[in-house]
Amino acid sequence: MKRCSSRTEFCERLHDKGVDAVFRLNAAGRIYGATFIDHGQGIVANGSLLGRSFSANAFEQQFYPEAENRRVYRHTS
């Protein structure tokens, strides 16, 4: 994971090994969930089940290190 600079690159590398990663994003674009699908073994697992380094927060920090300062502003009339 440390060698991947983007979510797309991470997903492509996993896909080449027969595993798909599905990231769930909120309206602000923040990752709030990750699921991994191993097609060879027939296993589906949430990232948090695999350990802290596969949690949504870990991916958010890895792919978007500036995200801690990111805020969502909505204009209402």
Side-chain angles (χ1 to χ4, degrees), residues 14-60:
L14 279 180
H15 184 76
D16 291 344
K17 300 203 179 285
V19 177
D20 285 324
V22 179
F23 291 95
R24 291 176 300 288
L25 308 173
N26 66 15
R30 178 170 166 65
I31 298 170
Y32 71 87
T35 301
F36 297 91
I37 305 162
D38 182 332
H39 296 283
Q41 299 293 319
I43 298 170
V44 177
N46 284 333
S48 58
L49 179 67
L50 300 175
R52 181 170 263 171
S53 60
F54 291 94
S55 69
N57 284 336
F59 286 113
E60 184 70 17

Side-chain angles (χ1 to χ4, degrees), residues 30 60-61 64-71:
R30 178 170 166 65
E60 184 70 17
Q61 291 171 1
Y64 309 107
E66 74 285 353
E68 291 188 19
N69 297 323
R70 181 170 52 188
R71 302 230 188 266

